[in-house]
Amino acid sequence: MKNLILKIFTLALTVIGLTSVAHAVEKPWAHGALKVSENNKYLVHKDGTPFFWLGDTGWLLPERLDRDEAAFYLRKTADAGYNVVQVQVINGVPAVNTYGKMSHPFGWDMSKASMPGEYGYWEHLDYIVDVAESQGLYIGMVCIWGGLVKAGLMNEEQAQAYGRFLADRYGDRKNIIWIIGGDIQCNIKTEVWETLAKTIREIDPKHLMTFHPRGRTTSARWFNDRDWLDFNMFQSGHRRYGQRMGNKDYPIPDGTEEDSWMYVDSAQVYSPLKPVLDGEPSYEDIPQGLHSAEEPLWNDKDVRRYAYWSVFAGSCGHTYGHNAIMQFVRPGIPGAYFADGEKKPWYRALDDPGRNQMKHLKHLMLAFPYTERVADSLIVRNNGIRYDRLLATRGADYLMVYNHTGRDMELDLSRISGNKKKLWVMDPSTGSLKYLGTTGNKIYKYNPDADSDLVLIAFDARRDYLTPDMTSIPEGRHIPIVKDLTE
């Protein structure tokens, strides 16, 4: 009965609303193809319009959802402010979708993977890409999950055939971003990943490409100097402080498991400098550490912290994930990591708070000159550790500080221009703004009256990035580049 209700609702949504909204919303690629910014830190369009990557993790979308369900999910994702959906193109060799169609009906003979007149596996993926395009969404294509390659299910010769197939089929689409790897350390089957990446890049040089690595690792360590890698990705992972869980080989210090900002710092020491983002942080509604139902679940405040810490440290965007959504559980389809499709199916999880709060971060970042932004730890006096750590970022005439615990703050406002500064507080759970007034003090002390997280915003009083009557930052507010700092 639940599935029937969902079908009826999604079909009505598709027929009534999908087409009209698709025509009404400007697509991001109207500003040209994506590229790396001139200072090599961010992503922009060909005409210079900033692109803040706000991704949703829809790993099993091609396998688990039918046409109506996929349209419903993509529409809701676009409505929630996301602009990228990361999917596993295949999660098996062969992968099988909800219609019982196989991705590799004749093994690695990709010339027979799509048969004329049949709505097969790849026609269904075509449909998903088409609907995503209508909603202004990029599809981040994780070509094959890392565990499959690790198990020897795709070798170099097969990677070449598969790469040609994917590039020929999707290379001319406007809304594709290539993601090599898939939750795997970059030094495992490196030759296969190199072959896949180079094959796709040779046929399709137009779309951006990155690598999705294993938890608590970064692509920069192995692939930063590769011409095919346009930007780096790290996976900060799902563990809390102290949950090393016997892993001796992870290149992180003990007790730093949640410090997502650390991976940004580590990626930016490599040459050449490339943009970086967290492609898989802790998911909302997943047990801390993944592997025990006795552990508490990560909640909306936790996923906000991962996002703001990473972005304020210098990331070019952020990817959100939800335990029920990434694997699309529902009644009758159980999930891994203790996701319960009876208690919370994926279509109910779309309304969870953390998922619908990420857009406030994107709106905030684009409300100020974007590509001049740098991380600046010197803004914060007497910084804390772990949850009490404040992360600060700034441009030439504005700064922002994320405060996870609502602790007292002492900030050096002289790090930006202006004898006087206008001050604001943003609630990252709602996007609401509160005007604090103007100060001429170089050192500003702020004592929040609550223990919730917040963003303190200050900018040169001669600027009008925000006005006192604003209660939130409007969607689509974009400030053009004033100057481009490379410090």
Side-chain angles (χ1 to χ4, degrees), residues 76 187 282 385 476:
K76 290 279 285 186
N187 59 339
S282 290
I385 62 172

Side-chain angles (χ1 to χ4, degrees), residues 327-346:
Q327 51 191 322
F328 296 98
V329 298
R330 62 185 176 201
I333 298 183
Y337 310 117
F338 313 101
D340 190 334
E342 297 287 343
K343 291 183 178 178
K344 184 180 286 186
W346 66 267

Side-chain angles (χ1 to χ4, degrees), residues 42 52-54 276-278 307 310-311 315-319 370 373:
Y42 302 104
F52 180 84
W53 174 301
L54 188 60
V276 63
L277 63 87
D278 194 346
S310 173
V311 171
S315 287
C316 64
H318 187 73
T319 297
Y370 183 65
R373 185 173 64 86

Side-chain angles (χ1 to χ4, degrees), residues 93-107:
V93 182
V96 181
N97 69 17
T98 189
Y99 297 107
K101 301 298 183 179
M102 294 189 298
S103 60
H104 292 66
F106 296 94

